[in-house]
Amino acid sequence: MTTQLPIDQAIDLEHGMISREIFVSPEYHRAELDKLFTRAWLFIGHESQIPRPGDFYVSRMGEESVILCRDAQGAVHVFLNSCRHRGMKVCRYEQGNTSLFVCPYHSWSYTTDGKLQGVPLYRVLYENTLKREEWSLIEVPKLALYKGTVWASWDPLAPEFLEYLGGAVDHLDQVLDCRDGRPGGSEVIGVHKWIFPANWKFAAENFLGDTYHNPSHRSVDMIGINPSAQRGVKGRRDNEYNRGQHVWVGFPQGHGMHSVLMPPDLQYEPSYQQYPVVEEYFRHCFEERKRRLGDKARLLPFVGNLFPNASYHGRQPRGICVWHPHSPTETEAWRFFLVDADAPAEVKDVLRRFYMRYSGPAGMTEQDDMENWLYATAASKGTIARRYPFNYQMSMGAYKTNDPVPGDVATQITEQTPRNFYRVYASYLNGGDWDALIGRNRAPVQVAAE
Ligand code: FES
Ligand SMILES: [Fe+2]
């Protein structure tokens, strides 16, 4: 039996050190599920996955299966996927359409708004005892729909989703809005799900802007797997970031991202020359977005992680990736690929192929990343290894507040975003109140970069 190292000792932000225990110990895994995943806002899915009444998509919150469902009246719900009688999964499909969820065990059935409807032999066995209205499916108390995405929290006291997002919304908007700047309008064109043997926080950290690990992707950079790959133009992604100021931004709620602030004379960088229809589409979108958003069009998202486990790629490959913890050393990844719903079919097809080349279990870039995460997890499990903390001292203090974009901003590669993530993580594990968890009254810390 191992003893859990107290969180305040495990996370030493003053010196930039974090114990390996939080990546490998079952006690920390349990504490995360109990104290963090029961409170934080979690990504559930996308409304484009459930367009019609009766549509459902089975998702996860922490270790638990939940049903995202559109009821007969069109309202969206998230239910715990567990029968109120003996707990059987009431839905064993990944997605579909139904008017009733019929439990396979003893056939209690629930309507798509969660109400217990059918109870076999009700008159004989339950009349005057079972009050059907008290045995609905368990529903999340907090649900938010934001530009097509669906989020939920199990904590009735959780702040509204937009307050939880805080300034991170400006970055998330660039992920969810149409490429031509119209608000929202994305759709999910596919979801990859797979399991890998690493702690989920390695993946979350990667998306907090770990640009430092770029050497891991040297092979894909050399081959050139991006749609614009051609003689002399190699790389993984399109070319649009070439002239921008890269920024690594943290927010009090624990969110962190790597975005790019483009110069005021924002110019289109050709990226899809091999595909004239796609090139024309993105050129048009670029000019249209600039016209619509003005100076705001300068902010381009690269990667980010919305606390705790919803990561994104903002431009290409565009999508949201959720890291569901199975155990301290095993994670289930769900990557939701996004496109503009009204993009031409040829654009969607080129993007779909690029997304799969880049991301997901067979994606070349994602494989590079996973190899790091799983070997780092395995090599941190040992008794000796666990005595030595990880180092998070990169660019300590080298960030400024609200310059050149809102938030705690670094203009050089930094581990400020993971340090900020673990500050908030510790707050959840210590049972902090919501003021502390989202930094409601937190005074901005001004640290000069120069
Ligand atoms: S467990 Fe569902 S009806 Fe018995
Ligand atoms: Fe990577």
Side-chain angles (χ1 to χ4, degrees), residues 248-275:
W248 289 261
V249 193
F251 289 99
Q253 300 87 345
H255 317 308
M257 57 277 302
H258 169 188
S259 293
V260 183
L261 187 67
M262 299 302 289
D265 65 329
L266 190 58
Q267 300 296 332
Y268 182 71
E269 298 270 353
S271 290
Y272 303 88
Q273 298 95 323
Q274 296 178 67
Y275 311 96

Side-chain angles (χ1 to χ4, degrees), residues 13-279:
L13 296 177
E14 196 190 337
H15 301 102
M17 291 190 286
I18 295 182
S19 167
R20 300 181 192 219
E21 289 292 337
I22 72 164
F23 296 89
V24 295
S25 96
E27 290 82 0
Y28 269 102
H29 171 67
R30 195 65 244 167
E32 289 171 0
L33 293 174
D34 292 347
K35 297 180 175 178
L36 196 168
F37 285 90
T38 51
R39 299 183 71 196
W41 280 94
L42 303 174
F43 181 80
I44 306 295
H46 194 283
E47 285 195 79
S48 62
Q49 298 177 290
I50 51 162
R52 295 164 305 152
D55 283 350
F56 64 85
Y57 180 78
V58 171
S59 188
R60 293 177 69 93
M61 293 176 75
E63 63 184 337
E64 297 179 273
S65 175
V66 296
I67 306 169
L68 166 63
C69 174
R70 191 179 294 279
D71 72 21
Q73 273 66 51
V76 174
H77 301 265
V78 173
F79 303 114
L80 193 66
N81 188 5
S82 183
C83 181
R84 296 296 306 274
H85 180 228
R86 279 301 180 285
M88 177 65 188
K89 261 188 164 178
V90 295
C91 184
R92 292 186 296 170
Y93 300 95
E94 290 188 32
Q95 57 191 325
N97 183 279
T98 191
S99 53
L100 279 180
F101 294 105
V102 182
C103 178
Y105 203 163
H106 313 91
S107 298
W108 284 18
S109 59
Y110 302 86
T111 51
T112 50
D113 58 358
K115 297 202 171 59
L116 176 60
Q117 176 168 295
V119 176
L121 302 173
Y122 181 84
R123 287 252 167 84
V124 183
L125 306 179
Y126 288 109
E127 187 121 64
N128 302 324
T129 314
L130 170 63
K131 296 197 178 80
R132 261 187 263 227
E133 62 280 11
E134 293 177 2
W135 295 90
S136 300
L137 288 174
I138 295 159
E139 182 161 9
V140 291
K142 300 287 275 193
L143 178 75
L145 307 178
Y146 186 71
K147 293 188 171 178
T149 53
V150 183
W151 306 77
S153 164
W154 285 116
D155 185 349
L157 300 177
E160 294 309 308
F161 180 63
L162 283 179
E163 189 184 7
Y164 180 86
L165 272 184
V169 73
D170 291 339
H171 303 258
L172 178 63
D173 279 348
Q174 309 314 320
V175 182
L176 300 178
D177 288 349
C178 282
R179 301 297 86 169
D180 64 6
R182 281 172 294 151
S186 64
E187 73 174 1
V188 170
I189 50 165
V191 183
H192 278 173
K193 302 176 182 177
W194 72 102
I195 293 168
F196 59 86
N199 187 277
W200 67 275
K201 295 188 291 300
F202 278 108
E205 268 194 35
N206 187 85
F207 284 81
L208 286 164
D210 177 5
T211 319
Y212 200 47
H213 81 278
N214 257 352
S216 302
H217 299 305
R218 180 134 170 78
S219 56
V220 286
D221 283 339
M222 287 173 72
I223 298 165
I225 62 166
N226 58 345
S228 64
Q230 52 185 293
R231 203 182 302 269
V233 186
K234 304 292 191 201
R236 267 171 285 152
R237 290 174 291 267
D238 45 28
N239 305 322
E240 65 184 351
Y241 303 109
N242 290 354
R243 295 172 55 237
Q245 165 69 65
H246 289 240
V247 287
W248 289 261
V249 193
F251 289 99
Q253 300 87 345
H255 317 308
M257 57 277 302
H258 169 188
S259 293
V260 183
L261 187 67
M262 299 302 289
D265 65 329
L266 190 58
Q267 300 296 332
Y268 182 71
E269 298 270 353
S271 290
Y272 303 88
Q273 298 95 323
Q274 296 178 67
Y275 311 96
V277 172
V278 183
E279 180 71 11

